[in-house]
Amino acid sequence: MKRLQNLLALAALAAATSAPAQNYPTRPVVMLVPYAAGGPTDTVARVVAQAMGKPLGQTILVENRPSAGGILAPEQVKNAKPDGYTILIHHVGMATTPALYRNLRFNPLEDFEYIGLINDVPMTIIARQSFPAKDFEEFLGYIKANKDKVTLANAGIGAASHLCGLLFMTAIQTDFLTVPYKGTAPAMNDLLGGQVDFMCDQTTNTTSQIKSGKVKAYAVTSKQRVPSLPDIPTLDELGLKGFEVGIWHGLYAPKGTPKPAIDRLVAALQEALKDATVKQRFADLGAEAYPLDRATPEALQKFLKSEIDKWGPIIKKAGQYAD
Ligand code: ASP
């Protein structure tokens, strides 16, 4: 009798602890975005969140936690309850910030569960509309001749726009005054207003401004031209041989998030990436969804590690740090 009671008690305990994870999700999931609303990461987040909500049977609420360099949201997700109701979208910054910040308050390789890779987004070199250069050659000549007064906007140390600017400055061996924002949405506002001169930003933020002629575009950073911006040459074509930066995005959850919840999120991500509307939206914005075998925890974890190994030495060589 005692044994039966013990068994019943154990069964009740197991049901109580596993039921929430098995039924997951029973309420909306929050996706934190490390940059300002209306910017490139936010754009990708909203497309993916909406599409993942359908298979999950719950809304994914996108919340922006902008900070220069995007280092606040990962810290908040690290410290969130690991119950599947708080997740993080982030880009290559997860791999570059360990080399850039001496006092980073999260460890990308230890503090998270991985959900999967989402997409790859090329970048564009753009300038304010009134910038006095009609093509890349003139642009290069002008910025080199005026390097003490030309300003380069970015989203802070660790942002994609920072990484691209850093690589660009190294490639052309010229330093500029950089102006950091909490995302390239506010940086774009100032570029449109003519307060800053140029920026390297993702096509997810620049395509509509380029197409409507509100900014000047000189180059794309992908190896091949971007199909939705066919007239813009690659930096490689323009003489910066081998210059290539693509910004990848991934989804994370706090360490210890139950596996059934992660499995549901992975399945939802895969459904989202199969969705024809998502693919079209990405293509219109110059981005490319990853194949489904990359939208897995293993693929993201492995790729993140390889990106940390790749960018660490390059960043150290370029020598630009934060505290
Ligand atoms: N992707 C960032 C944003 O959404 C900016 C950046 O990484 O440069 O604003």
Side-chain angles (χ1 to χ4, degrees):
M1 188 60 187
K2 183 99 179 96
R3 197 159 165 258
L4 182 65
Q5 271 171 352
N6 282 349
L7 278 177
L8 287 175
L10 269 180
L13 186 70
T17 48
S18 66
Q22 298 300 350
N23 296 337
Y24 172 88
T26 55
R27 56 188 163 87
V29 173
V30 174
M31 182 188 284
L32 295 197
V33 176
Y35 295 100
T41 312
D42 182 69
T43 299
V44 173
R46 284 172 201 274
V47 172
V48 172
Q50 200 193 6
M52 283 177 68
K54 286 180 223 154
L56 269 186
Q58 284 289 342
T59 308
I60 299 190
L61 304 168
V62 171
E63 284 187 13
N64 302 81
R65 299 293 158 81
S67 68
I71 56 172
L72 185 64
E75 186 188 334
Q76 291 185 342
V77 171
K78 168 193 163 177
N79 295 325
K81 201 169 168 200
D83 56 5
Y85 291 97
T86 308
I87 59 174
L88 170 74
I89 184 168
H90 209 335
H91 61 27
V92 64
M94 282 294 258
T96 56
T97 44
L100 288 163
Y101 285 80
R102 293 189 184 95
N103 297 311
L104 200 61
R105 290 203 288 264
F106 60 91
N107 182 332
L109 293 174
E110 285 176 9
D111 298 332
F112 301 93
E113 303 293 339
Y114 305 97
I115 298 167
L117 284 157
I118 304 170
N119 65 6
D120 191 75
V121 187
M123 302 193 82
T124 44
I125 306 269
I126 56 167
R128 61 181 160 82
Q129 196 186 36
S130 54
F131 201 77
K134 69 172 183 326
D135 57 23
F136 184 71
E137 202 185 328
E138 279 188 21
F139 171 75
L140 209 53
Y142 185 89
I143 59 175
K144 283 187 162 210
N146 295 281
K147 67 183 171 67
D148 295 331
K149 60 174 202 225
V150 165
T151 47
L152 167 62
N154 68 27
I157 293 184
S161 45
H162 166 260
L163 177 69
C164 181
L166 192 61
L167 296 174
F168 183 65
M169 290 196 286
T170 310
I172 65 167
Q173 296 175 344
T174 313
D175 274 344
F176 302 97
L177 192 62
T178 52
V179 186
Y181 293 81
K182 289 184 178 177
T184 49
M188 179 64 90
N189 283 342
D190 275 8
L191 195 82
L192 293 171
Q195 284 94 325
V196 282
D197 292 319
F198 79 106
M199 159 158 93
C200 181
D201 194 16
Q202 295 167 256
T203 53
T204 31
N205 203 35
T206 62
T207 300
S208 63
Q209 310 295 0
I210 294 171
K211 289 197 165 165
S212 61
K214 290 191 181 136
V215 297
K216 281 185 174 150
Y218 296 106
V220 293
T221 67
S222 42
K223 202 165 203 165
Q224 315 288 339
R225 289 192 182 205
V226 178
S228 54
L229 296 168
D231 301 333
I232 308 178
T234 67
L235 281 174
D236 184 89
E237 268 175 68
L238 291 164
L240 298 186
K241 289 287 159 219
F243 194 109
E244 190 188 356
V245 199
I247 300 305
W248 54 272
H249 295 89
L251 283 182
Y252 307 79
K255 189 84 185 171
T257 301
K259 184 154 185 322
I262 297 290
D263 290 347
R264 285 295 309 274
L265 290 163
V266 174
L269 172 62
Q270 299 219 348
E271 284 306 312
L273 296 186
K274 278 194 253 175
D275 188 324
T277 352
V278 169
K279 284 191 180 169
Q280 190 55 50
R281 181 89 181 104
F282 280 168
D284 291 345
L285 293 169
E288 206 178 334
Y290 280 127
L292 297 188
D293 62 355
R294 301 198 73 191
T296 66
E298 300 72 32
L300 172 56
Q301 186 175 16
K302 199 167 154 216
F303 189 60
L304 175 67
K305 169 88 179 67
S306 71
E307 286 282 287
I308 290 174
D309 294 345
K310 168 180 162 182
W311 291 115
I314 297 174
I315 287 167
K316 291 212 163 94
K317 209 167 142 208
Q320 224 189 57
Y321 305 99
D323 282 323

PDB file of all heavy atoms in Angstrom, residues 44 52 57 124 177 215 264:
ATOM      1  N   VAL A  44      13.237  41.514 -39.644  1.00  0.00           N
ATOM      2  CA  VAL A  44      13.337  40.050 -39.745  1.00  0.00           C
ATOM      3  C   VAL A  44      12.528  39.415 -38.609  1.00  0.00           C
ATOM      4  O   VAL A  44      11.779  38.455 -38.809  1.00  0.00           O
ATOM      5  CB  VAL A  44      14.823  39.591 -39.698  1.00  0.00           C
ATOM      6  CG1 VAL A  44      14.923  38.074 -39.637  1.00  0.00           C
ATOM      7  CG2 VAL A  44      15.582  40.119 -40.911  1.00  0.00           C
ATOM      8  N   MET A  52       5.841  32.144 -37.314  1.00  0.00           N
ATOM      9  CA  MET A  52       5.988  31.062 -36.327  1.00  0.00           C
ATOM     10  C   MET A  52       4.752  30.950 -35.431  1.00  0.00           C
ATOM     11  O   MET A  52       4.462  29.889 -34.880  1.00  0.00           O
ATOM     12  CB  MET A  52       7.220  31.315 -35.436  1.00  0.00           C
ATOM     13  CG  MET A  52       8.535  30.989 -36.101  1.00  0.00           C
ATOM     14  SD  MET A  52       9.943  31.404 -35.037  1.00  0.00           S
ATOM     15  CE  MET A  52       9.796  30.216 -33.712  1.00  0.00           C
ATOM     16  N   GLY A  57       0.435  28.082 -32.576  1.00  0.00           N
ATOM     17  CA  GLY A  57      -0.907  28.259 -32.019  1.00  0.00           C
ATOM     18  C   GLY A  57      -0.946  29.361 -30.963  1.00  0.00           C
ATOM     19  O   GLY A  57      -1.875  29.452 -30.180  1.00  0.00           O
ATOM     20  N   THR A 124      24.769  47.034 -47.572  1.00  0.00           N
ATOM     21  CA  THR A 124      24.943  48.008 -48.655  1.00  0.00           C
ATOM     22  C   THR A 124      25.709  49.206 -48.107  1.00  0.00           C
ATOM     23  O   THR A 124      25.518  49.587 -46.953  1.00  0.00           O
ATOM     24  CB  THR A 124      23.558  48.519 -49.134  1.00  0.00           C
ATOM     25  OG1 THR A 124      22.760  48.796 -47.973  1.00  0.00           O
ATOM     26  CG2 THR A 124      22.848  47.509 -49.992  1.00  0.00           C
ATOM     27  N   LEU A 177      35.265  59.223 -38.433  1.00  0.00           N
ATOM     28  CA  LEU A 177      34.556  59.510 -37.196  1.00  0.00           C
ATOM     29  C   LEU A 177      33.267  58.688 -37.230  1.00  0.00           C
ATOM     30  O   LEU A 177      32.499  58.775 -38.190  1.00  0.00           O
ATOM     31  CB  LEU A 177      34.224  61.007 -37.215  1.00  0.00           C
ATOM     32  CG  LEU A 177      33.739  61.634 -35.927  1.00  0.00           C
ATOM     33  CD1 LEU A 177      34.818  61.526 -34.858  1.00  0.00           C
ATOM     34  CD2 LEU A 177      33.387  63.105 -36.202  1.00  0.00           C
ATOM     35  N   VAL A 215      18.320  57.650 -50.620  1.00  0.00           N
ATOM     36  CA  VAL A 215      19.748  57.575 -50.259  1.00  0.00           C
ATOM     37  C   VAL A 215      20.516  57.161 -51.511  1.00  0.00           C
ATOM     38  O   VAL A 215      19.929  56.632 -52.453  1.00  0.00           O
ATOM     39  CB  VAL A 215      20.015  56.528 -49.130  1.00  0.00           C
ATOM     40  CG1 VAL A 215      19.326  56.899 -47.835  1.00  0.00           C
ATOM     41  CG2 VAL A 215      19.619  55.124 -49.567  1.00  0.00           C
ATOM     42  N   ARG A 264       9.213  22.471 -30.072  1.00  0.00           N
ATOM     43  CA  ARG A 264       8.081  23.172 -30.692  1.00  0.00           C
ATOM     44  C   ARG A 264       8.561  24.422 -31.431  1.00  0.00           C
ATOM     45  O   ARG A 264       8.097  24.746 -32.518  1.00  0.00           O
ATOM     46  CB  ARG A 264       7.049  23.601 -29.630  1.00  0.00           C
ATOM     47  CG  ARG A 264       6.167  22.508 -29.063  1.00  0.00           C
ATOM     48  CD  ARG A 264       5.235  21.866 -30.075  1.00  0.00           C
ATOM     49  NE  ARG A 264       4.423  22.754 -30.885  1.00  0.00           N
ATOM     50  CZ  ARG A 264       3.234  23.252 -30.543  1.00  0.00           C
ATOM     51  NH1 ARG A 264       2.719  22.944 -29.376  1.00  0.00           N
ATOM     52  NH2 ARG A 264       2.562  24.038 -31.359  1.00  0.00           N
TER      53      ARG A 264
END
